[in-house]
Amino acid sequence: MRGMFTAGVMDVLMENGIQFDGAIGVSAGAAFGVNYKSKQIGRVLRYNTRFVCDKRYCGLRVLLKTGNIYSTQFCYEEVPLKHDIFDFDTFEKNPMEFYVVATDIESGKAVYHKCEGRNDHCFDWIRASASMPLVSQFVEIDGQKLLDGGISDSIPVKYFESIGYTKNIAVLTQCKGYQKKKNEAMPIVRIKYRKYPKLIETLANRHLVYNDTLAYIGEKEQNGELFVIRPEQELPVSRVEKDPEKLKAAYEIGRNTTLKNLNKITAFLSSEDH
């Protein structure tokens, strides 16, 4: 739910007509970021604040009943197809490429998938990207078992550069100076995923890879080769936040941060030096 900050960032960018050739999202960044390609300003805030307290949406009850802390049936079927309809037509017509990152549980490695639309298991890939370990079941697509993309590549700047995107904006949900700590749940992880040693290894090293990526991002940012949007204060939300007002607060921080930096963002995007 720290991704509500990202939602605020996206809405301001869309409101100001800023278009990208491509975007890539991980976990909540995939579930929320998909709305940039469908050009649905305000949708992330709208459906999250509407349903976050709904017993069908997320929580311990859903986890015990389904094995997923966020309901597959409600979040990825009812909400986007019935209650707050996702605009697949606009998504498919928009030439902007949209990638999501998931983790292959057999290899422990990142899987990068370009979402094309309705005929591409689009929502399944997004669900896989956002399926947090320990509180989600594997998502199987074409025989591949997948979990949260944040396990293997939380901030896929290097991947995006490797496929040709040279002028990038990274949206982070942690303040500058943040460092990820070693996973305290590793004893449980080793038991639950004992059949998947590569996944365990990736989870055990996640904090090291994450912090190395932050160092890379910091260097690129300092050299003017990457623009980073991050909160200046710790966001007032937990990972599975249930208070709509706190979600709105995180969203507004995202909006305000982006408005404050809008001139710098447009200058960065229009510059010819990268």
Side-chain angles (χ1 to χ4, degrees), residues 98-127:
F98 183 74
Y99 292 80
V100 301
V101 186
T103 301
D104 183 302
I105 67 165
E106 300 280 1
S107 67
K109 294 182 179 180
V111 180
Y112 306 93
H113 178 78
K114 183 168 74 170
C115 291
E116 302 286 1
R118 276 167 283 212
N119 299 322
D120 182 42
H121 300 295
C122 184
F123 283 171
D124 288 335
W125 277 102
I126 291 170
R127 180 164 62 92

Side-chain angles (χ1 to χ4, degrees), residues 7 19 75 90 96 107 123 136 164 194 196 226 254 256-257 267 270:
Q19 301 181 44
C75 295
T90 298
M96 183 185 89
S107 67
F123 283 171
S136 306
R194 59 190 176 277
Y196 306 99
L226 175 72
N256 293 335
T257 301
S270 61

Side-chain angles (χ1 to χ4, degrees), residues 55-73 76 127 130-139 146-147 192-193:
K55 292 180 180 178
R56 298 169 294 174
Y57 192 62
C58 68
L60 185 59
R61 179 184 176 187
V62 174
L63 177 63
L64 294 173
K65 185 177 180 181
T66 69
N68 294 299
I69 199 161
Y70 284 91
S71 168
T72 296
Q73 192 273 331
Y76 295 96
R127 180 164 62 92
S131 291
M132 295 183 290
L134 298 181
V135 292
S136 306
Q137 296 189 55
F138 304 140
V139 177
L146 305 163
L147 271 180
K192 183 174 178 63
Y193 300 123

Side-chain angles (χ1 to χ4, degrees), residues 141-185:
I141 304 174
D142 296 331
Q144 196 170 27
K145 294 179 181 179
L146 305 163
L147 271 180
D148 194 333
I151 296 169
S152 52
D153 194 355
S154 297
I155 317 170
V157 170
K158 291 182 181 179
Y159 173 76
F160 226 41
E161 291 174 344
S162 77
I163 61 172
Y165 288 92
T166 57
K167 184 177 290 190
N168 297 307
I169 293 177
V171 182
L172 308 182
T173 59
Q174 299 283 8
C175 303
K176 193 166 188 176
Y178 171 81
Q179 290 282 284
K180 184 170 286 295
K181 297 178 181 178
K182 188 175 181 179
N183 189 348
E184 294 181 354

Side-chain angles (χ1 to χ4, degrees), residues 24-91:
I24 187 165
V26 185
S27 199
F32 296 169
V34 70
N35 293 279
Y36 208 109
K37 185 170 166 64
S38 66
K39 302 183 179 181
Q40 290 179 275
I41 297 171
R43 182 172 179 268
V44 176
L45 177 68
R46 189 169 62 240
Y47 75 73
N48 274 290
T49 53
R50 178 182 174 186
F51 293 114
V52 71
C53 294
D54 194 308
K55 292 180 180 178
R56 298 169 294 174
Y57 192 62
C58 68
L60 185 59
R61 179 184 176 187
V62 174
L63 177 63
L64 294 173
K65 185 177 180 181
T66 69
N68 294 299
I69 199 161
Y70 284 91
S71 168
T72 296
Q73 192 273 331
F74 190 74
C75 295
Y76 295 96
E77 294 178 27
E78 278 197 48
V79 171
L81 300 178
K82 179 180 178 182
H83 300 303
D84 200 320
I85 296 173
F86 182 75
D87 189 347
F88 269 112
D89 289 337
T90 298
F91 180 92

